[in-house]
Amino acid sequence: MEAEEFDYGFKFFPKKMSKERKRKFTYFLIYFIILVWAEVWPIFLIGNRVRPYVLGLPFSMFWTAAVVMAGFIGMLFLYNFDVKGGE
Amino acid sequence: MWVTILITMIIYLIAAAVIGVWAGRGRVLDVVDYVAGSRTLGLLVMYFIMGATIFSAFAFLGGPGWAYGKGAAAFYILAYCGFGLAPWYVFGPRAARLGRKYGYVTQAELFSDRYESKTLSGIMAWVSLTAFVPYLTLQMKGAGYIFDTLTQGHVPFWAGALIAYGVVVFYVFMSGLMGVGWTNVFQGLFMLILAWVFGIMLPFKLYGGLMPMFEKILAASPGHLTIPGPKGVMPWGAYSTAILISVIGFCQWPHLYMKAYTAKDEPTLKLTIAIYPTFAIFMVPVLLIGFAGVVYAPGLARADSVLPHMITALKFTPIVVGLFGAGALAAGMSSGDAITHAAASVMVQDFVKLFIPKATDKTLTTIMRVLVIVVAAISYYFAVAAKVSLVMLLLGAYGAVVQFFPLALGMHFWPRANKQAALAGLIVGGLVTLFGTMGKVPLLGIPFGKIWNMHPGITGLICNFIVFIVISLLTKPQSPDHLRRFIEE
């Protein structure tokens, strides 16, 4: 009996979470997926060059580090939204 | 000269031992304290414990080695340090909440409870151990190289590894997690300072700046600073999947789950994860050290030794060389202690306990402490006897651990996922990875090639996912009452 009532489908978010919050978390997920993608093929093809040098680093190294920094800033926003702000 | 270097390094080792033992003073050593520090850790200790999982001998010796030998391929280290812990923001807090609720201290306790399988717990314990031992071996080799190179062979490889890991075993044995935690804070600060000092100093001292250094590198080795690296050493497929496997695999390391259970509360755990990418920025100077060697010390037989080689060749005062040696030791030991500790804890909680279910807390803690010595001894044997490249070992270990990933996703997000699927996926994924790493199917001798130069762990993971989903849908789901325990309201 009970087995019929139980929903075996995907449960990405807790039931009680607001739609707004779910949407924001999804945006964060997309943001991070794009960033990781920017570190590998094919988006990294754009950054994969020596010139121009930035801060004395070849552009390929600067690109990799800058994307990491963008990830760091994203994590801080995520933490702030998740723990401090929002509902 | 080498005596001063040795003494500096010994002073560091004594300091680490004292801090490690001091951290464990007056604590009641039951299982939850020995394994999870009684779930009381704050931000500072959490940050450095997590940092130590990356800032290993691999980062300190392998990182410059890659920059030296494989050029731009070394940027993969920056990328995975930066994003490696991000997926943990999804898994860590969930695992920690369930851990608090049901009293888990290891990863397999959580997995085997969700999938109702003791077999799974046993398999995970052994997979973890096979990943831990090469990792620990790696750290020991690092310690051996450092002693050997910096004392000009007066303290041979085998003795160096033995001394450094004698200290590690001592404080892990005495203090459990608290020993690991506070020595990691000390070791972490120490090596970060050294990495920045050397990383900035070398390019300026040798080449008069960063850009002049990179220009000279390009003249000597065209293609060094872009993918696929010098002489095409790292094709795009290999580079991309190396990053992906590291980002996915990193969040499934058994000791990360164990560390999630140590946090005193959820905001602490989440903030640790959020500020973690700063460790990637600390890797920048480490790579610069390796790049500085390309023109200055060409043709080294072993790329991993570029850092100690440079430090010796530049004729710094012995105390500076000793400090550097201590920093590199700190990098390896802070990972080594966490791994030794995790390996012993996992073997007892997830494997030994299956056979002696009625053992008291005190007995279990005692067995763990004995296993600390056993695990270290096995790894030491491999470090001294085997001849395998450091980075190959590490990538091999990642390939095995990453196979837990579909199980973790199913555990939190897909109630339909069940026991049969978990076991089948893990076994198929593990075998595909293993065959891919070996390049053939053992015994039968069938060749097992790579597609698009992909990391074998990724191929294994894809097979794992397919098997996991198909078997879940074909077999009976677990009971709703059981599954409700793992679903968040």
Side-chain angles (χ1 to χ4, degrees), chain B residues 73-124:
Chain B
F75 300 157
Y76 116 84
I77 299 167
L78 291 184
Y80 98 75
C81 285
F83 291 100
L85 210 59
W88 191 236
Y89 201 93
V90 176
F91 297 107
R94 284 182 170 77
R97 283 197 290 268
L98 292 169
R100 247 170 231 286
K101 214 160 148 191
Y102 304 121
Y104 313 128
V105 289
T106 69
Q107 179 190 29
E109 282 177 308
L110 167 62
F111 280 58
S112 69
D113 192 10
R114 161 63 178 81
Y115 290 110
E116 295 179 285
S117 167
K118 291 264 190 278
T119 318
L120 184 62
S121 161
I123 293 178
M124 286 181 77

Side-chain angles (χ1 to χ4, degrees), chain B residues 92 188 193 450:
Chain B
I193 293 166
K450 288 179 190 170

